[in-house]
Amino acid sequence: MMYSRVKIRSILFGFIAVQHFFNCRAERIDGGISNSERIRNITVALQNVLDNSTNYDIRLRPRFGGPAIKIGIDIEIASINSISEVNMDYTISMYFRQHWKDERLAYDPTYGNVSLDGRLADHIWVPDTYFVNDKHSFVHDVTVKNRLIKFHHDGTVMYGMRITTVAACMMDLHDYPMDEQNCTLEIESYGYTTEDISYSWYYGNESIRGVPDIEMAQFTLVDYKVVTRIIEFSTGAYPRLSLSFRLRRSIGFFILQTYLPSILLVILSWVSFWINHEATSARVALGITTVLTMTTISTSVRSSLPRISYIKSIDIYVVVCYAFVFAALVEYALVNFHYWSKQKQKAIEACKSAANNKKFSTSSSNERVDDYNTQVAIRLSQVGEVEGEPSSDLQWREEIGLRLMNGPEPPSYSSSITPSPIRYRASSLKYKQKNLSNGKARKAKRPRKKKVPFLPSKIRDVDTIDRIARLLFPSCFIIFNIVYWYSYLTRLYTD
């Protein structure tokens, strides 16, 4: 106790010396009392209060055993920043002030009010106030610890600190990034129940200052409110003050980072509808590039968010854009399948027509060569046996395929004027005899032409699919954007 008295005297003496230095002019005030005399009187009064251990005990609250002491709180906000969706918290810097009345510290009103060094707070009773949703806090200490003690003659004490705290803020991200969040700062007494202490906002709704000057990069402070309530625990009922901030997210960053690139990629995927269906490498490369780019955008969006199970607003947009890009790639697969199926059917019909002819001449083969290109011939030579097709038809089809790839046979020159007799393949003669014996019965059993599956019978040209896609894809995407933006923006600004 003796060491505490000496330390208090040294603190008061240092403070008095500084004030005396800046008030060296002995101006007469308050009935002829000079500033130096006033400081000496305040020093004596504080020494009498704090040095008298019988009247003041730092371990006991004011009015111990009597009614609860009232603690008034006011906050001046310096900044709000570092709002993190991944960690579900935010950082706030503020000037935190507490007001209470301790009659044991009252002195003569003629001495007026006095501000003292913050180190004096270690030698008087102060409330055990803490932040309930605090993750990490500290009191600034540059150049000295940022604390302030102010005494009033009636025993009222104002204790202020400059604090930065990281507070938890549980966020609802269903409408992300067109969402609003309510982040709170919970203030409570750690050890005193409502029987010993009570909290209130010192200036009512005006206890929070500095709100209009707050600027945040990603959010806008729409509104705030203060609440006073009682919280029940197993150890008793505790008073609590709540400061709630209503924060609205700014969507500009996400439009440039996610929405606009997604829209441009979807539009880029539609370019393939105007590219010739025979340019396979160009259309496939364009489709795969847009799909992979959309995958990258989707991954970057998820990396900046916590691993939550529910679907967010931005997820819906990215998934739909991904579906449009993927559908454009599938559309070309459908066009390509329809094109080659149609060419295959034409080639098979040409084979059957050649097999039914009584004579097969080189000139007739040359005419068919003009109807099909080399790629069709290669496909034709690789086609397997068609169900219900005679082996002779298969032989004729293979021969036509080889003729289409190799071209017409060169004419043979003979030294003899007499032309060589016409030779027929054995399979052709057998097939001819079979036709003569069966007559019209074989004609009735001829396999019917198969239709191309998965496509309506009205589509006669593959370009029709591209023409439909040119109208269908943009129309559906425009309708989706109208519904999406109208629904979410209405919810955001209506609430």
Side-chain angles (χ1 to χ4, degrees):
M1 184 62 68
M2 182 63 65
Y3 173 76
S4 177
R5 293 177 183 176
V6 172
K7 192 171 183 180
I8 292 173
R9 287 194 184 99
S10 62
I11 293 172
L12 293 177
F13 179 77
F15 177 78
I16 293 169
V18 172
Q19 283 194 342
H20 182 72
F21 175 78
F22 287 102
N23 297 279
C24 57
R25 293 180 302 172
E27 298 178 357
R28 312 297 294 182
I29 58 173
D30 295 336
I33 301 177
S34 66
N35 284 342
S36 58
E37 294 177 356
R38 178 171 173 266
I39 292 173
R40 283 195 297 271
N41 292 335
I42 295 175
T43 303
V44 172
L46 292 177
Q47 287 178 347
N48 292 334
V49 171
L50 298 177
D51 291 351
N52 192 350
S53 59
T54 59
N55 295 332
Y56 191 87
D57 191 346
I58 189 176
R59 298 168 296 180
L60 301 178
R61 68 172 180 87
R63 297 193 296 273
F64 180 78
I69 182 175
K70 296 180 180 180
I71 308 296
I73 303 291
D74 76 279
I75 298 175
E76 185 171 349
I77 301 175
S79 64
I80 298 177
N81 47 34
S82 300
I83 301 176
S84 173
E85 295 83 7
V86 178
N87 299 324
M88 294 287 184
D89 57 25
Y90 71 101
T91 303
I92 178 172
S93 297
M94 58 185 170
Y95 298 95
F96 184 76
R97 303 185 184 97
Q98 303 177 78
H99 307 260
W100 70 92
K101 188 174 184 179
D102 190 348
E103 291 82 357
R104 298 174 296 179
L105 299 177
Y107 54 88
D108 192 342
T110 58
Y111 300 148
N113 303 327
V114 61
S115 297
L116 301 176
D117 189 275
R119 289 173 292 180
L120 188 62
D122 298 331
H123 306 283
I124 63 173
W125 180 91
V126 294
D128 59 344
T129 306
Y130 80 107
F131 302 117
V132 179
N133 58 334
D134 166 59
K135 289 185 175 181
H136 172 69
S137 298
F138 63 92
V139 178
H140 292 259
D141 55 1
V142 178
T143 59
V144 294
K145 204 166 230 183
N146 300 167
R147 297 189 298 177
L148 169 66
I149 287 285
K150 181 175 288 188
F151 288 152
H152 297 263
H153 61 84
D154 60 351
T156 301
V157 181
M158 191 274 287
Y159 178 40
M161 296 177 289
R162 185 186 174 206
I163 301 175
T164 294
T165 179
V166 179
C169 178
M170 300 307 298
M171 302 181 185
D172 183 7
L173 300 175
H174 280 92
D175 296 336
Y176 178 90
M178 291 172 285
D179 58 334
E180 287 187 354
Q181 303 298 335
N182 288 321
C183 294
T184 60
L185 183 65
E186 308 287 340
I187 305 169
E188 185 179 310
S189 172
Y190 188 81
Y192 292 105
T193 63
T194 54
E195 297 177 354
D196 297 319
I197 198 172
S198 65
Y199 281 98
S200 64
W201 294 105
Y202 194 65
Y203 300 108
N205 293 331
E206 303 297 327
S207 300
I208 310 301
R209 302 176 183 178
V211 174
D213 300 329
I214 296 177
E215 294 183 359
M216 292 171 282
Q218 195 174 346
F219 287 87
T220 301
L221 183 57
V222 179
D223 193 12
Y224 75 93
K225 63 179 180 179
V226 293
V227 180
T228 304
R229 51 182 174 162
I230 304 297
I231 303 298
E232 296 286 343
F233 291 101
S234 59
T235 55
Y238 294 84
R240 178 178 294 184
L241 299 181
S242 297
L243 171 59
S244 177
F245 301 101
R246 184 182 174 188
L247 304 174
R248 177 177 296 169
R249 194 185 306 273
S250 301
I251 197 175
F253 170 79
F254 300 94
I255 290 178
L256 297 177
Q257 186 75 13
T258 303
Y259 286 102
L260 188 58
S262 300
I263 293 173
L264 294 178
L265 282 174
V266 173
I267 296 175
L268 181 62
S269 67
W270 299 341
V271 175
S272 63
F273 302 151
W274 278 266
I275 300 177
N276 194 326
H277 59 271
E278 294 184 358
T280 304
S281 59
R283 295 188 66 163
V284 171
L286 180 61
I288 293 177
T289 301
T290 53
V291 168
L292 294 178
T293 308
M294 279 303 307
T295 304
T296 304
I297 292 177
S298 177
T299 303
S300 65
V301 170
R302 291 194 301 269
S303 63
S304 60
L305 293 174
R307 297 180 180 178
I308 50 182
S309 58
Y310 53 82
I311 298 176
K312 302 173 290 296
S313 169
I314 196 170
D315 292 336
I316 296 175
Y317 198 89
V318 171
V319 168
V320 171
C321 290
Y322 190 94
F324 270 96
V325 171
F326 187 77
L329 183 60
V330 172
E331 185 269 347
Y332 175 66
L334 187 64
V335 168
N336 191 60
F337 173 77
H338 178 55
Y339 173 73
W340 287 111
S341 298
K342 193 172 182 180
Q343 296 296 327
K344 176 182 175 181
Q345 291 296 329
K346 289 182 179 181
I348 293 175
E349 289 176 2
C351 292
K352 292 182 178 180
S353 176
N356 291 332
N357 291 334
K358 294 181 179 180
K359 295 181 180 180
F360 184 84
S361 61
T362 306
S363 60
S364 63
S365 299
N366 293 339
E367 292 175 359
R368 294 187 181 91
V369 171
D370 297 336
D371 295 337
Y372 309 104
N373 55 29
T374 306
Q375 293 182 358
V376 177
I378 296 173
R379 292 290 185 95
L380 180 59
S381 64
Q382 296 175 352
V383 172
E385 183 178 354
V386 181
E387 184 180 356
E389 180 184 11
S391 60
S392 59
D393 289 3
L394 178 61
Q395 185 176 356
W396 280 101
R397 180 157 47 81
E398 291 176 353
E399 183 175 344
I400 291 179
L402 293 174
R403 285 175 177 272
L404 292 172
M405 287 186 291
N406 299 329
E409 297 180 356
S412 60
Y413 299 94
S414 177
S415 59
S416 176
I417 301 176
T418 305
S420 60
I422 299 175
R423 296 180 180 180
Y424 297 94
R425 288 181 178 266
S427 59
S428 177
L429 294 175
K430 291 179 182 180
Y431 189 69
K432 180 178 179 181
Q433 293 174 0
K434 187 175 181 180
N435 282 339
L436 293 175
S437 61
N438 292 339
K440 296 182 179 180
R442 186 196 174 282
K443 188 176 181 180
K445 295 180 181 179
R446 184 178 299 171
R448 301 177 63 183
K449 182 180 178 182
K450 296 182 180 180
K451 294 182 180 180
V452 180
F454 307 112
L455 288 174
S457 58
K458 294 182 179 179
I459 297 179
R460 303 298 182 185
D461 188 7
V462 292
D463 292 335
T464 305
I465 303 176
D466 284 337
R467 284 194 295 268
I468 295 174
R470 293 169 192 172
L471 297 176
L472 181 62
F473 276 67
S475 300
C476 293
F477 191 67
I478 291 173
I479 293 173
F480 163 72
N481 275 275
I482 292 174
V483 174
Y484 177 87
W485 292 107
Y486 177 79
S487 60
Y488 280 102
L489 292 179
T490 301
R491 289 173 57 182
L492 175 63
Y493 291 101
T494 301
D495 294 341

